[in-house]
């Protein structure tokens, strides 16, 4: 059962309590269980400050998108979007889809969702040759659960396998989504984005 279905299971919390009680009986030397990649991604992504909406069908995706627009008052705004499929899918919300990066938010797909650090893997397929700092400060990313990978290396392999005749350039990751967070040494120089993830279950 995937993480998202477990979260919707009313008995999940009681089952988890029983598991934790059982685990407490083990020695401290008992090997730590490896988290499933979907659960690890969710933990790391949220820990990075990302916000995601899990959806089981396209109707829920549209509802989630509408809620994001409502929450941020993003109706009747310019939207930077180079993906024609997405601009058609999200037509009907009174938005102006444009190739101008000086827009209220960036609507895009992605290459992969990286579990071990909760990052989003992007390439020139999504951002052309733009640098992250050139893009709007607000992102709405559409992805599917089948795009979750364990590591960046696995995501790069997927790009290579899917693009046998053409390997996209400008491959980058973004994993800092807390715009209000005070920068420390480790995050200095990173490009912070206010990011929403619309995640569609397709497994």
């Amino acid at each position: 059962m995937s993480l998202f279905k477990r979260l919707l299971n009313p008995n999940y919390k009681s089952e988890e309590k029983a598991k934790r009680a059982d685990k407490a009986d083990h020695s401290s030397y008992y090997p730590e269980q490896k988290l499933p990649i979907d659960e690890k991604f969710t933990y790391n992504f949220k820990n990075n400050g990302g916000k995601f909406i899990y959806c089981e069908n396209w109707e829920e995706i549209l509802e989630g998108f509408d809620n994001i627009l409502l929450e941020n008052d993003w109706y009747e705004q310019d939207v930077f979007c180079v993906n024609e499929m997405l601009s058609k899918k999200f037509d009907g919300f009174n938005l102006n889809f444009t190739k101008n990066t000086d827009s209220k938010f960036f609507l895009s797909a992605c290459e992969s969702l990286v579990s071990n650090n909760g990052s989003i893997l992007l390439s020139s397929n999504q951002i052309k040759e733009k640098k992250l700092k050139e893009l709007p400060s607000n992102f709405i990313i559409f992805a599917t659960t089948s795009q979750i990978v364990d590591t960046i290396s696995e995501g790069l392999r997927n790009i290579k396998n899917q693009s046998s005749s053409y390997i996209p350039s400008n491959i980058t990751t973004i994993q800092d989504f807390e715009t209000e967070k005070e920068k420390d040494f480790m995050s200095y120089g990173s490009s912070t984005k206010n990011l929403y993830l619309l995640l569609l279950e397709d497994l």
Side-chain angles (χ1 to χ4, degrees), residues 1-9 37-39 41-42 52-56 113 144-145 148 197 199-201:
M1 185 185 293
S2 75
L3 163 71
F4 311 105
K5 288 188 171 68
R6 290 200 301 271
L7 291 176
L8 298 173
N9 178 4
I37 63 168
D38 57 354
E39 189 168 344
F41 171 76
T42 303
F52 84 92
I53 301 173
Y54 167 71
C55 305
E56 292 188 326
L113 308 173
T144 60
T145 52
I148 300 176
L197 174 63
L199 188 60
L200 178 63
E201 173 69 65

Side-chain angles (χ1 to χ4, degrees), residues 5-197:
K5 288 188 171 68
R6 290 200 301 271
L7 291 176
L8 298 173
N9 178 4
N11 298 321
Y12 175 63
K13 287 187 178 179
S14 58
E15 291 170 3
E16 282 301 293
K17 284 182 181 177
K19 286 179 185 176
R20 284 196 294 270
D22 182 58
K23 189 182 287 186
D25 293 336
H26 290 299
S27 162
S28 59
Y29 298 102
Y30 190 78
E32 186 177 344
Q33 282 189 322
K34 188 176 179 181
L35 288 174
I37 63 168
D38 57 354
E39 189 168 344
K40 187 163 59 171
F41 171 76
T42 303
Y43 174 81
N44 289 329
F45 177 76
K46 292 179 73 175
N47 197 48
N48 291 341
K51 300 173 280 289
F52 84 92
I53 301 173
Y54 167 71
C55 305
E56 292 188 326
N57 52 56
W58 193 257
E59 288 72 24
E60 291 183 3
I61 288 287
L62 294 177
E63 181 181 354
F65 184 75
D66 191 35
N67 287 335
I68 294 170
L69 299 183
L70 182 62
E71 177 184 329
N72 295 280
D73 193 20
W74 286 346
Y75 295 107
E76 301 181 5
Q77 298 289 340
D78 288 344
V79 182
F80 176 57
C81 182
V82 300
N83 187 314
E84 296 297 330
M85 182 274 289
L86 285 183
S87 60
K88 289 177 182 176
K89 287 282 190 180
F90 291 101
D91 189 28
F93 288 93
N94 203 17
L95 298 168
N96 179 34
F97 295 99
T98 177
K99 302 297 191 294
N100 182 6
T101 56
D102 187 23
S103 298
K104 181 58 72 174
F105 66 91
F106 173 46
L107 174 64
S108 179
C110 66
E111 296 290 348
S112 295
L113 308 173
V114 183
S115 174
N116 71 349
N117 64 3
S119 68
I120 309 290
L121 183 64
L122 301 168
S123 78
S124 54
N125 288 333
Q126 293 84 39
I127 61 176
K128 301 301 182 186
E129 299 307 316
K130 302 291 185 184
K131 296 178 181 178
L132 288 177
K133 65 181 181 181
E134 297 176 296
L135 300 175
S137 58
N138 302 302
F139 278 37
I140 300 179
I141 299 293
F142 167 75
T144 60
T145 52
S146 62
Q147 289 179 275
I148 300 176
V149 297
D150 195 25
T151 64
I152 291 175
S153 296
E154 188 179 341
L156 294 175
R157 280 197 301 273
N158 287 348
I159 292 175
K160 185 176 180 181
N161 293 338
Q162 293 166 8
S163 311
S164 56
S165 60
Y166 162 74
I167 297 178
S169 58
N170 197 22
I171 298 171
T172 188
T173 60
I174 176 171
Q175 67 179 83
D176 186 1
F177 313 123
E178 290 189 274
T179 54
E180 302 300 320
K181 182 177 68 176
E182 183 177 342
K183 293 293 182 184
D184 57 21
F185 175 75
M186 296 299 290
S187 60
Y188 179 77
S190 64
S191 184
T192 304
K193 302 296 181 182
N194 174 39
L195 191 143
Y196 292 85
L197 174 63

